[in-house]
Amino acid sequence: MNMLRFLFPRSWSARYWDEMADLCRQSPRPVAAVVDMVLLAARLRAQQLARHAGWAVSVSSALVFAAAVGIAACVPRLAHGWVELPGHWWSAPWLLAGALGCAGFSAVLYGKRPSAG
């Protein structure tokens, strides 16, 4: 259970971790409780990232740009075009950079979304 603690922001973890860990241990569905904790950590991190949206957008933009340049450099070497990218080890860093960049943009957008309550 303590392995999940690093997913949470320090301030939240210091204040609420012991109580949340106890609730998870006592849960009749421990797997579902752990999944809920991971989702909560993702949401808290997205909110934290949204507070620093300018930095997040800059990093995300750089990652997406690097991915676009890398993929553009890789595609001419492929016999069947871009659909082959996932099958080649040397294209993985560019795909990962693109995925991280898109995740960063999503986190910023998700963090700025008004709450339902």
Side-chain angles (χ1 to χ4, degrees), residues 6-25:
F6 77 93
L7 296 174
F8 291 89
R10 282 189 196 125
S11 60
W12 187 96
S13 181
R15 185 170 181 176
Y16 301 110
W17 178 256
D18 293 331
E19 182 180 352
M20 289 298 290
D22 287 341
L23 288 172
C24 281
R25 282 188 209 100

Side-chain angles (χ1 to χ4, degrees), residues 16-50:
Y16 301 110
W17 178 256
D18 293 331
E19 182 180 352
M20 289 298 290
D22 287 341
L23 288 172
C24 281
R25 282 188 209 100
Q26 296 170 5
S27 174
R29 299 180 343 161
V31 173
V34 168
V35 169
D36 286 342
M37 294 265 302
V38 170
L39 292 174
L40 174 62
R43 182 169 184 186
L44 290 171
R45 290 292 183 176
Q47 290 172 350
Q48 187 180 38
L49 187 60

Side-chain angles (χ1 to χ4, degrees), residues 90-114:
W90 42 263
S91 64
W94 309 116
L95 296 175
L96 180 61
L100 289 173
C102 291
F105 282 127
S106 298
V108 169
L109 293 175
Y110 178 77
K112 288 187 171 203
R113 190 177 65 172

Side-chain angles (χ1 to χ4, degrees), residues 71 74-75 78-88 91 95:
I71 289 170
C74 291
V75 169
L78 302 174
H80 299 290
W82 66 272
V83 294
E84 285 186 43
L85 281 174
H88 296 282
S91 64
L95 296 175

